[in-house]
């Protein structure tokens, strides 16, 4: 009896020992490999673990590529960080700023009349945003010629008021654009194929005819000189091309109506109103602007 009691007394520790040897511990979370301190962020690791609870997450390691290939730190952080989804959503919205206008452009080839009616309706609804208040003059600009020579003449401007800085910028930009197009031969009345063709059929342009016409150019232009409400500019157009003058007159007519009131535009002549030839840019309301 004493022997049996002794064996029973020592058996439980053996059983406990076997139970401890067979016990194992496993984790239900996958291992996330973080390659560098740049990615060692708590929110990145937790989000990666939650979104990939059934598989390992591979990221780029030093000297090799993982699941995401050659991607920069900013790309990785933008996808897994809390700011990634909102940033991409804003970017998608920016690509789709005006779906109404996109629909109008998409239907202009299939049904031009329908697209035109939609555009007119759009302009009526957004008239206040599209159209600006006119600051020019309701009186049409007068145009006069005074012994104008295409190769050596002044063009004179008389405005209703003294020009502001923004007005001077607009006039200079207009004259500069006119000079550039003329100098490149863009204002050639001898090659007006499209404007002289009928509109009831598809336009056709003859490149050989366009290349063989007599070229036109705009040789030289001076600075814009301003005295109060008067201004002048010297031009050397070179060739007698009336289209050059028509284009300038059209542009200035619109400017006079919408932006800056121009009382008259005079081509030619060496004297105009009370213009002072001995003025300097230091005088009051006097300035010279490069074209």
């Amino acid at each position: 009896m004493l022997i049996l009691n002794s064996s029973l007394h020592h058996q439980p520790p053996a059983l406990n020992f076997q139970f401890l040897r067979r016990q194992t511990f496993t984790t239900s979370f996958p291992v996330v490999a973080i390659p560098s301190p740049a990615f060692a962020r708590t929110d990145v690791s937790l989000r990666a673990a939650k979104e990939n609870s059934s598989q390992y997450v591979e990221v780029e390691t030093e000297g090799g590529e993982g699941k995401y290939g050659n991607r920069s730190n900013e790309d990785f952080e933008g996808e897994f960080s809390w700011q990634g989804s909102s940033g991409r959503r804003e970017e998608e919205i920016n690509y789709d700023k005006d779906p109404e206008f996109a629909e109008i452009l998409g239907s202009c080839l299939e049904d031009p009349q329908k697209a035109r009616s939609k555009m007119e309706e759009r302009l009526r609804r957004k008239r206040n945003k599209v159209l600006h208040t006119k600051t020019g003059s309701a009186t049409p600009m007068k145009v006069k010629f005074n012994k104008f020579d295409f190769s050596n003449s002044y063009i004179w401007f008389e405005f209703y008021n003294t020009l502001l800085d923004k007005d001077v910028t607009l006039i200079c930009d207009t004259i500069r654009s006119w000079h550039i197009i003329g100098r490149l031969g863009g204002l050639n009345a001898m090659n007006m194929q499209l404007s002289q063709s009928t509109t009831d059929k598809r336009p056709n342009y003859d490149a050989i005819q366009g290349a063989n016409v007599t070229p036109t150019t705009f040789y030289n232009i001076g600075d814009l000189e301003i005295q109060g409400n008067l201004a002048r500019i010297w031009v050397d157009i070179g060739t007698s091309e009336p289209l050059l003058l028509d284009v300038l007159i059209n542009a200035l007519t619109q400017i006079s109506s919408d932006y800056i009131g121009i009382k008259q535009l005079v081509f030619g002549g060496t004297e105009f109103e009370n213009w002072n030839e001995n003025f300097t840019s230091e005088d009051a309301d006097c300035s010279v602007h490069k074209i």
Side-chain angles (χ1 to χ4, degrees):
M1 291 297 293
L2 293 173
I3 297 175
L4 291 174
N5 290 337
S6 176
S7 63
L8 292 173
H9 177 72
H10 292 286
Q11 189 173 358
L15 293 174
N16 290 337
F17 179 76
Q18 292 178 359
F19 174 77
L20 292 173
R21 291 183 61 185
R22 292 180 180 179
Q23 186 176 6
T24 58
F25 295 90
T26 60
T27 178
S28 60
F29 294 95
V31 178
V32 180
I34 304 301
S36 64
F39 293 101
R41 292 172 46 186
T42 304
D43 57 342
V44 175
S45 302
L46 293 177
R47 183 174 292 275
K50 291 179 181 179
E51 294 180 356
N52 301 273
S53 59
S54 60
Q55 59 183 357
Y56 291 99
V57 178
E58 295 182 15
V59 296
E60 182 181 352
T61 58
E62 297 180 359
E65 295 181 6
K67 178 179 178 181
Y68 297 97
N70 291 324
R71 299 177 63 182
S72 63
N73 296 358
E74 290 78 9
D75 293 339
F76 187 85
E77 293 177 358
E79 182 172 349
F80 290 101
S81 65
W82 63 274
Q83 295 176 343
S85 59
S86 62
R88 294 188 175 216
R89 191 178 301 112
E90 291 177 358
E91 183 178 359
E92 293 176 358
I93 294 176
N94 291 336
Y95 284 118
D96 192 17
K97 293 182 178 179
D98 198 337
E100 180 186 6
F101 191 66
E103 181 182 358
I104 294 175
L105 292 179
S107 61
C108 64
L109 295 179
E110 299 178 358
D111 193 347
Q113 188 62 32
K114 182 179 179 181
R116 180 176 180 178
S117 60
K118 287 185 177 180
M119 181 59 71
E120 292 176 351
E121 176 62 24
R122 175 187 172 92
L123 291 176
R124 281 193 293 269
R125 286 188 288 105
K126 299 185 177 183
R127 181 182 182 88
N128 295 333
K129 297 181 179 180
V130 175
L131 301 180
H132 64 87
T133 303
K134 290 187 176 182
T135 57
S137 173
T139 305
M141 178 185 67
K142 296 180 180 180
V143 179
K144 298 180 180 180
F145 289 87
N146 183 17
K147 299 179 180 179
F148 180 73
D149 184 1
F150 277 88
S151 61
N152 182 17
S153 285
Y154 281 105
I155 299 177
W156 301 86
F157 305 80
E158 183 181 3
F159 302 94
Y160 284 100
N161 301 299
T162 302
L163 296 180
L164 303 176
D165 290 341
K166 63 177 182 177
D167 301 334
V168 174
T169 300
L170 178 58
I171 296 296
C172 288
D173 290 344
T174 302
I175 297 176
R176 187 177 298 112
S177 302
W178 172 61
H179 173 244
I180 291 174
I181 296 178
R183 191 173 183 84
L184 294 175
L187 304 177
N188 191 345
M190 300 299 294
N191 188 31
M192 306 289 290
Q193 298 183 41
L194 299 181
S195 62
Q196 295 175 357
S197 63
T198 58
T199 59
D200 56 349
K201 60 180 180 179
R202 178 176 295 181
N204 184 28
Y205 187 85
D206 189 343
I208 297 177
Q209 177 183 343
N212 291 330
V213 297
T214 303
T216 61
T217 185
F218 197 136
Y219 289 162
N220 203 356
I221 193 169
D223 299 332
L224 180 66
E225 303 171 292
I226 299 176
Q227 292 184 21
N229 67 323
L230 302 179
R232 74 175 182 180
I233 187 168
W234 175 84
V235 295
D236 178 9
I237 298 176
T239 56
S240 299
E241 182 54 80
L243 180 60
L244 274 163
L245 305 184
D246 280 331
V247 169
L248 179 63
I249 293 172
N250 290 338
L252 293 177
T253 299
Q254 195 68 31
I255 289 177
S256 177
S257 173
D258 295 350
Y259 302 100
I260 310 166
I262 304 176
K263 187 174 182 180
Q264 61 176 329
L265 179 67
V266 179
F267 292 88
T270 57
E271 296 180 357
F272 183 75
E273 298 294 332
N274 55 346
W275 182 270
N276 182 14
E277 291 288 348
N278 299 321
F279 84 100
T280 63
S281 58
E282 297 178 356
D283 296 338
D285 296 332
C286 296
S287 58
V288 179
H289 305 270
K290 189 73 176 179
I291 298 298

